[in-house]
Amino acid sequence: MATKNAFRALKHADSVETNSTTSITQLPANILEAFIPGYSIISKFLLDALGFDITLLVSVCFLVFGLATSLTFAWKHLYRQFEEYCMSFIRIDSDDDIHDHVMEWLASQKISKTSRKLMAKTGRENAWDMLDETVAEPELDPTNLMNFNNWDARVPPRFQPSFGSHFFFHRGHFFQFKREQKQVMTGGWPMVRDDENITLTCIGRSTEPIKELIKEAREFYLDKQKSCTVVRRPCPKEHRGRGRSVWMKVATRPSRPMHTVILEHEQKNRLLADINEYLHPSTPRWYANRGIPYRRGYLFHGNPGTGKSSLAWAIAGVFGLDIYCISLVDPTLTEEDLGMMFTSLPRRCVILLEDIDAAGLNKRQEDEKAPEPKDEDPTAKIGAEITRAFKSVQKNDKDKQGITLSGLLNAIDGVASHEGRVLVMTTNFPDKLDDALIRPGRIDMKVEFTNATHAQIYELFIRMYTPDGSVKVDPAKTKLDKGQVSRPTQNGHALQPKMLGMNEMLTPPDTPTQVKVPANEQLNTIEDIAAAFANLLPADTFTPAEIQGFLLTRKKEPKKALEEVTTWSKSMIETKGKKARGTTAGP
């Protein structure tokens, strides 16, 4: 009897265990069936085929996945709350100059050496960068030709942080650098373009650490560009507007020293003094108190190759300004674009309109009326009608080029025109310009460029053959040439421009106008050779560009240039005479 009761108890326990096991495994199977349709069939097939129940394994996997998802969600939520209340950030668009400053600074930091996500860029982008490279330059050998097949491979590439998030410490603060790229609609062609922005984030509710970092990056960038002039041109038409800058930086060139511009020193001094007074911080208030628009315009006119554009570049370098170049013959340039470009100029800059006469802004003249033919001459009447129609078509085609004169005048000094800029126009034919364009108030000073005088020829020769590092006029006489300085950096106070010593003007070098040419063996110094060279050329006959072109072919042989200048001068005079006779000769 006792044995029978024990067997029944064992059987009941086995039944309870079986039911319990079935209930435990059935519950995950029902849940998994909801997430994986057909799971029961799959698990039964595997159980019959392999003799292994995968329910437990799948349940564990789902449990781990759910736990990881929950932790990720909780982490993101907590990080967003931490970022919202305990972090600060500053975003920078790629159109802004600060973007270039920060990227250039990051390229020199440890983050660009230790990060696992980098972007490589060519080490040298233009010819002027060779001045700062540490790569050894080969010596010039006249018997061998240079081969640049593997020259670029010798310059190591530059590395910058790639797209994504990067973390680094700087001056005791923890920063996150995030670089993002997205596609935006342009409204033109192409319809979609890539846009980039960077975000600097630091721990703390104050943005001062980020501002200090940006300030340091800006000073680092400007220190490298302290002797350079930034050149900007209008953006392509499809990129203008939509809240974006209409100007883009196209180049950074070494600033041109003022003493390298071949121009009469009195004109140069008068121009520099006028621009210096105009740019002085107290001048805007003086203009405002008298109701005068704070604008200044200059017209450089003269023959091609006399140095008009060179003077504009030198002015931008001396005063530490960026130069903005506009081509009025650009077919995509409209009057609305021109007005937007002028209004988006910075507070102080040099805006250059080259060859203003080539834009079709000539004097407004009434259409020439063809003489009315007599009634008895029908052939002449038809010819006159054809002439009028042809001139009308020519006029319409001409009007379509560039912009109109009224559009330019409105951009220069209209109601919404920008103030504080230095406007420079260059032309080869000032007499062809309309009086409204060059009236006082729009053009305040005219600078005439003539062919080279004896003093200018002498100065050009000295500059060409003086050894590198000493190509300058006497420093005691040319304190204005010390204006090749960096822009003042922001230090929490009002920016103060550096003084250039305007009380001491450029003094021309002692140049003999008539020099007796000594024998070649007596020409021992560059000054003696320069004086003899200047005496052999007629004054006011050749442009500085023509003389410089002649010297460039003999840039290391001053005595050879002196020996061959007479033959070259005669040849050039004959060529100019033939051209003059060809243009004046009638049919």
Side-chain angles (χ1 to χ4, degrees), residues 378-400:
T379 304
K381 182 180 292 187
I382 295 175
E385 292 294 336
I386 295 176
T387 302
R388 290 195 193 97
F390 181 73
K391 289 185 177 181
S392 177
V393 172
Q394 281 186 325
K395 184 177 183 299
N396 293 334
D397 292 340
K398 189 176 183 179
D399 292 340
K400 294 179 182 179

Side-chain angles (χ1 to χ4, degrees), residues 325-548:
C325 304
I326 298 180
S327 175
L328 296 180
V329 297
D330 184 1
T332 65
L333 184 65
T334 63
E335 295 182 4
E336 291 78 9
D337 293 338
L338 186 65
M340 185 167 52
M341 291 174 186
F342 269 81
T343 55
S344 62
L345 291 171
R347 183 180 179 184
R348 291 183 179 89
C349 65
V350 175
I351 181 166
L352 177 61
L353 301 179
E354 289 188 287
D355 298 328
I356 194 73
D357 55 283
L361 305 177
N362 299 337
K363 289 185 176 181
R364 290 169 286 191
Q365 299 177 353
E366 298 186 5
D367 296 338
E368 298 180 0
K369 295 184 179 180
E372 291 292 338
K374 298 180 180 180
D375 295 339
E376 61 273 9
D377 192 0
T379 304
K381 182 180 292 187
I382 295 175
E385 292 294 336
I386 295 176
T387 302
R388 290 195 193 97
F390 181 73
K391 289 185 177 181
S392 177
V393 172
Q394 281 186 325
K395 184 177 183 299
N396 293 334
D397 292 340
K398 189 176 183 179
D399 292 340
K400 294 179 182 179
Q401 296 179 358
I403 62 173
T404 62
L405 177 62
S406 60
L408 177 61
L409 299 182
N410 184 64
I412 292 176
D413 60 359
V415 177
S417 61
H418 185 75
E419 297 187 348
R421 80 290 185 277
V422 178
L423 176 64
V424 177
M425 300 183 187
T426 66
T427 180
N428 298 331
F429 307 99
D431 296 336
K432 293 184 178 181
L433 298 180
D434 193 278
D435 294 336
L437 179 62
I438 57 178
R439 69 162 176 80
R442 290 172 180 156
I443 295 299
D444 303 286
M445 180 181 291
K446 300 178 182 179
V447 180
E448 182 181 5
F449 288 75
T450 62
N451 291 334
T453 62
H454 281 121
Q456 293 172 348
I457 296 173
Y458 173 88
E459 187 177 346
L460 181 61
F461 194 95
I462 291 291
R463 175 166 61 89
M464 181 65 66
Y465 291 105
T466 302
D468 292 342
S470 57
V471 184
K472 59 183 179 180
V473 193
D474 186 2
K477 301 179 181 180
T478 59
K479 288 193 174 182
L480 284 177
D481 290 333
K482 296 181 180 180
Q484 311 302 322
V485 296
S486 61
R487 299 173 180 80
T489 58
Q490 188 174 4
N491 54 8
H493 305 284
L495 297 179
Q496 296 295 332
K498 294 188 178 181
M499 297 296 104
L500 303 181
M502 289 299 300
N503 56 332
E504 298 190 32
M505 297 299 178
L506 287 170
T507 303
D510 297 331
T511 307
T513 56
Q514 295 292 333
V515 179
K516 181 178 180 181
V517 182
N520 288 343
E521 58 272 10
Q522 299 178 4
L523 298 175
N524 299 322
T525 64
I526 292 295
E527 289 76 10
D528 293 339
I529 302 176
F533 182 86
N535 189 57
L536 292 177
L537 286 176
D540 302 324
T541 304
F542 303 107
T543 65
E546 292 174 336
I547 299 175
Q548 180 174 282

Side-chain angles (χ1 to χ4, degrees), residues 44 55 139 155-156 177 183 185 194 347 504 524 558 562 577:
K44 184 178 180 181
T55 302
E139 296 182 0
V155 181
F177 170 80
Q183 292 184 336
M185 301 294 294
D194 293 331
R347 183 180 179 184
E504 298 190 32
N524 299 322
L562 178 64

Side-chain angles (χ1 to χ4, degrees), residues 1 68 151 166 171 184 196 199 227 256-258 320 427 431 519 529 562:
M1 186 66 179
W151 176 262
H166 307 264
R171 299 188 182 276
V184 296
E196 177 185 333
T199 304
S227 298
R256 178 160 186 169
M258 183 59 69
T427 180
D431 296 336
I529 302 176
L562 178 64

Side-chain angles (χ1 to χ4, degrees), residues 183-194:
Q183 292 184 336
V184 296
M185 301 294 294
T186 61
W189 180 260
M191 297 295 295
V192 180
R193 64 172 177 81
D194 293 331

